[in-house]
């Protein structure tokens, strides 16, 4: 069973930064992605990285502000979030995909963490 555990969420003022971590028990050849879900909204894609870190993909809403990276030795994927906005407030989830593609749909991921809350105050 693949396990994922997010950490690093919290409360930050607009314009501030946070770094989320996702510890994955087994990454293998699969993509790891970050999604977020705000109250009353559907879960949406934020960023993804291939198993070897060679390629990344970002949602337009976070491009230029968020950076996804990975530490292979630690089996950990990070999401560095800068210039945070109140609309970035959500529960952030990391997930491992069903294959090696840089998917943007939640259905393309079959293992999920429990989520970490990010709140950006104005």
């Amino acid at each position: 069973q693949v396990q994922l555990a997010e950490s690093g969420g919290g409360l930050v003022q607009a314009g501030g930064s946070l770094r989320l971590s996702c510890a994955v028990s087994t990454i293998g050849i699969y993509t790891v992605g970050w999604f977020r879900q705000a109250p009353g909204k559907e879960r949406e894609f934020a960023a993804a990285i291939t198993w070897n870190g060679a390629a990344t993909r970002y949602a337009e809403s976070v491009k230029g502000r968020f950076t996804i990276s990975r530490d292979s030795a630690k089996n950990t994927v990070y999401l560095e979030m800068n210039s945070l906005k109140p609309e970035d407030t959500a529960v952030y989830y990391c997930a491992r995909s069903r294959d090696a593609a840089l998917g943007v749909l939640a259905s393309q991921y079959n293992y999920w963490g429990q989520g970490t809350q990010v709140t950006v105050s104005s």
Side-chain angles (χ1 to χ4, degrees):
Q1 183 73 8
V2 178
Q3 296 180 324
L4 299 95
E6 304 95 337
S7 61
L11 173 64
V12 63
Q13 288 188 331
S17 300
L18 280 175
R19 188 177 80 156
L20 305 183
S21 299
C22 173
V24 189
S25 60
T26 305
I27 294 181
I29 62 166
Y30 303 96
T31 289
V32 175
W34 284 96
F35 287 74
R36 62 186 186 181
Q37 188 166 19
K41 295 188 176 182
E42 293 188 356
R43 193 168 298 189
E44 66 173 10
F45 171 78
I49 188 166
T50 54
W51 68 275
N52 58 0
T56 58
R57 190 170 183 178
Y58 296 92
E60 286 299 320
S61 58
V62 308
K63 196 174 291 184
R65 299 187 299 122
F66 291 11
T67 302
I68 190 170
S69 62
R70 59 169 288 161
D71 184 330
S72 299
K74 297 181 179 180
N75 263 10
T76 299
V77 175
Y78 303 98
L79 186 67
E80 184 76 34
M81 306 186 295
N82 298 314
S83 302
L84 283 162
K85 306 174 183 179
E87 51 263 45
D88 293 318
T89 295
V91 177
Y92 283 71
Y93 299 89
C94 65
R96 201 192 79 168
S97 70
R98 299 177 185 275
D99 54 34
L102 282 168
V104 301
L105 300 177
S107 59
Q108 294 175 284
Y109 295 76
N110 55 346
Y111 293 103
W112 293 82
Q114 80 288 351
T116 186
Q117 176 71 46
V118 172
T119 303
V120 184
S121 63
S122 57

